[in-house]
Amino acid sequence: MDRRDGSNDYVIRVLDNPTEVDAAAWDALHDAQPSATPFTRHAYLDALTASGSATEETGWQPSFLTVHQGGELVGACPLYLKSHSYGEYVFDWAWADAYHRHGLAYYPKLLSAVPFTPVPGPRLMARDAPARLALLQGIRQFATQAGLSSAHLLFLDAADQAAAQEAGWLMRRTVQFHWMQREPTPYADFADFLADMTRDKRKKIQQERRRVQEAGITFTVHEGEAISGEDWDFFYRCYTQTYREHRSTPYLTRDFFARMQGNMARNWLLFIAWRDGSRVAASLIAIDPERGHAFGRYWGAMDAISHLHFEACYYQPLEWCIARGFRRFEGGAQGEHKMARGLLPVATWSAHWLAHPQFAEAVAQHLAREGEGVADYLDELNSRRPFKA
């Protein structure tokens, strides 16, 4: 699709590959967004496609939307035609089933998200509010012209959430668990962080860490370009082992991580667990050094060791974040158990447009009921925070 919006002289295009948009222009627009993350940089999105991880063959057909004005890129959106709902973390399987039972096609659908990455951030990257609106209108027009059932925007930042709500999209709230640095007096170290917690939670964490130490586990920390090819190879063995244990197939190829090593090394942090001179587990964390944010992403272990997951995925990263003065650590999708490790509940948002009027009304009613339940759930979670009053 290539059309003009005469009111603002916008040129709106749909691109079949991230390489069709200038990387420098994309990243300049991306970096201007207050909620920018490494996952919406051009190199990350391009690596997903070029590595064979997010392609038409895997059910993620790139259809990136761009808005130009006077030859300048003023809006951009990672967009995919989806033939399933895997790898999204905002679940609409029931909607697809309802369509199927009524003899209607739910797939393909249109999705704005970062594949396999439930991290809130910009989806409608725009120079200003009119360009953001043009992106929303372009998505809806694309879906309508293609005869698609629906369009979905996942894990939105505040600006995208407000724009989608104003444009009449259906809003859906879910819950994640994030650690935030203490303000106005930051934690001095991990012991200071533990001292802020209630006695039972502090004691539980200390016991879990002690059992990992008693099992003979030590850790090495590898950051950025110091993560060697051998380290990446070991991590990938751990990563695929986790999927095998769940009788599933990894979303990401080894080539994807090779591209991360080559093009985005500074955005990665690897914790490797050792026992008796051998590596036994690895935890991969994404980092944004400029904003002081870290994101728990992938882990795996070659041996079953009690409490090692908590140490590798929460305690080691939190200790590192506190020492480096980071402001935030996001633990990923779901996982109420994260609260006991000091990660607190936060609301995340998605926006949805359905072409079929009756289904749109039915989903709107469902989301209203679901939203009340999520609000009650958040209240209940906040009533039992793991920190002292």
Side-chain angles (χ1 to χ4, degrees), residues 336 339 345 374-385:
E336 191 175 316
M339 270 194 74
V374 172
D376 291 342
Y377 178 56
L378 280 166
D379 288 343
E380 189 268 330
L381 289 173
N382 282 314
S383 71
R384 50 186 179 89
R385 289 185 168 214

Side-chain angles (χ1 to χ4, degrees), residues 9 89 115 119 142 150 170 172 174 214 224 232 284 293 326 354:
D9 194 30
Y89 305 95
V119 175
F142 177 21
S150 53
L170 304 177
R172 189 179 196 182
T174 51
E214 290 171 350
W232 282 106
L284 186 66
H293 290 182
F326 270 45
L354 285 81

Side-chain angles (χ1 to χ4, degrees), residues 8 70 86 94 100 116 165 190 264 296 328 335 351 360 376:
N8 290 287
Y86 292 105
H100 177 72
F116 328 117
Q165 192 164 13
F190 194 81
M264 292 182 62
R328 191 180 194 95
D376 291 342

Side-chain angles (χ1 to χ4, degrees), residues 180-252:
M180 277 75 75
Q181 177 59 278
R182 184 176 62 189
E183 294 182 351
T185 307
Y187 296 115
D189 51 29
F190 194 81
D192 190 22
F193 164 64
L194 287 183
D196 238 13
M197 305 186 79
T198 59
R199 182 179 181 276
D200 61 325
K201 297 298 189 293
R202 179 172 63 253
K203 184 177 180 181
K204 181 179 179 65
I205 291 174
Q206 290 170 334
Q207 287 175 339
E208 289 176 346
R209 301 202 80 182
R210 183 168 61 252
R211 288 175 182 173
V212 171
Q213 292 173 353
E214 290 171 350
I217 300 297
T218 60
F219 281 86
T220 53
V221 185
H222 311 258
E223 181 179 349
E225 294 181 357
I227 306 175
S228 69
E230 184 181 1
D231 294 333
W232 282 106
D233 286 339
F234 174 72
F235 156 75
Y236 196 72
R237 290 200 299 274
C238 293
Y239 169 70
T240 55
Q241 175 68 18
T242 298
Y243 278 88
R244 279 195 296 270
E245 290 173 356
H246 291 86
R247 298 184 179 181
S248 185
T249 303
Y251 288 131
L252 299 169

Side-chain angles (χ1 to χ4, degrees), residues 64-371:
F64 284 28
L65 199 75
T66 62
V67 178
H68 286 80
Q69 185 178 46
E72 179 186 357
L73 184 69
V74 299
C77 176
L79 203 60
Y80 298 86
L81 282 168
K82 284 297 302 296
S83 59
H84 54 67
S85 293
Y86 292 105
E88 298 177 14
Y89 305 95
V90 175
F91 304 111
D92 61 352
W93 295 106
W95 303 358
D97 180 63
Y99 268 70
H100 177 72
R101 285 187 284 107
H102 285 79
L104 299 174
Y106 188 70
Y107 304 109
K109 64 179 183 179
L110 198 57
L111 183 77
S112 177
V114 180
F116 328 117
T117 310
V119 175
R123 301 296 176 259
L124 307 171
M125 297 186 293
R127 183 182 63 185
D128 49 30
R132 183 170 283 106
L133 179 60
L135 284 168
L136 277 171
Q137 292 172 336
I139 292 170
R140 183 165 173 172
Q141 182 178 10
F142 177 21
T144 300
Q145 291 180 347
L148 304 178
S149 69
S150 53
H152 311 264
L153 315 175
L154 307 187
F155 298 104
L156 303 179
D157 68 7
D160 292 349
Q161 175 193 334
Q165 192 164 13
E166 185 177 350
W169 289 53
L170 304 177
M171 305 305 298
R172 189 179 196 182
R173 180 162 55 169
T174 51
V175 178
Q176 289 189 352
F177 296 87
H178 300 174
W179 172 86
M180 277 75 75
Q181 177 59 278
R182 184 176 62 189
E183 294 182 351
T185 307
Y187 296 115
D189 51 29
F190 194 81
D192 190 22
F193 164 64
L194 287 183
D196 238 13
M197 305 186 79
T198 59
R199 182 179 181 276
D200 61 325
K201 297 298 189 293
R202 179 172 63 253
K203 184 177 180 181
K204 181 179 179 65
I205 291 174
Q206 290 170 334
Q207 287 175 339
E208 289 176 346
R209 301 202 80 182
R210 183 168 61 252
R211 288 175 182 173
V212 171
Q213 292 173 353
E214 290 171 350
I217 300 297
T218 60
F219 281 86
T220 53
V221 185
H222 311 258
E223 181 179 349
E225 294 181 357
I227 306 175
S228 69
E230 184 181 1
D231 294 333
W232 282 106
D233 286 339
F234 174 72
F235 156 75
Y236 196 72
R237 290 200 299 274
C238 293
Y239 169 70
T240 55
Q241 175 68 18
T242 298
Y243 278 88
R244 279 195 296 270
E245 290 173 356
H246 291 86
R247 298 184 179 181
S248 185
T249 303
Y251 288 131
L252 299 169
T253 66
R254 178 63 182 89
D255 183 54
F256 169 79
F257 293 105
R259 292 172 186 274
M260 291 297 96
Q261 180 185 10
N263 300 325
M264 292 182 62
R266 67 186 300 272
N267 293 115
W268 295 102
L269 176 69
L270 183 64
F271 295 90
I272 297 180
W274 298 73
R275 183 170 63 179
D276 298 329
S278 298
R279 293 176 291 193
V280 294
S283 172
L284 186 66
I285 310 297
I287 57 175
D288 185 338
E290 286 74 26
R291 292 173 173 82
H293 290 182
F295 312 86
R297 296 309 306 127
Y298 308 105
W299 114 286
M302 307 310 292
D303 297 326
I305 300 169
S306 180
H307 304 298
L308 181 56
H309 172 260
F310 299 136
E311 181 68 32
C313 297
Y314 303 122
Y315 306 144
Q316 289 286 325
L318 286 177
E319 197 163 24
W320 186 92
C321 284
I322 293 170
R324 293 297 186 95
F326 270 45
R327 298 171 46 241
R328 191 180 194 95
F329 173 71
E330 299 188 13
Q334 289 87 45
E336 191 175 316
H337 66 277
K338 296 168 186 171
M339 270 194 74
R341 279 86 197 172
L343 283 72
L344 298 180
V346 298
T348 56
W349 291 90
S350 57
H352 309 268
W353 173 84
L354 285 81
H356 194 290
Q358 284 75 32
F359 269 98
E361 178 59 28
V363 169
Q365 293 176 10
H366 163 73
L367 291 181
R369 294 190 299 270
E370 182 185 69

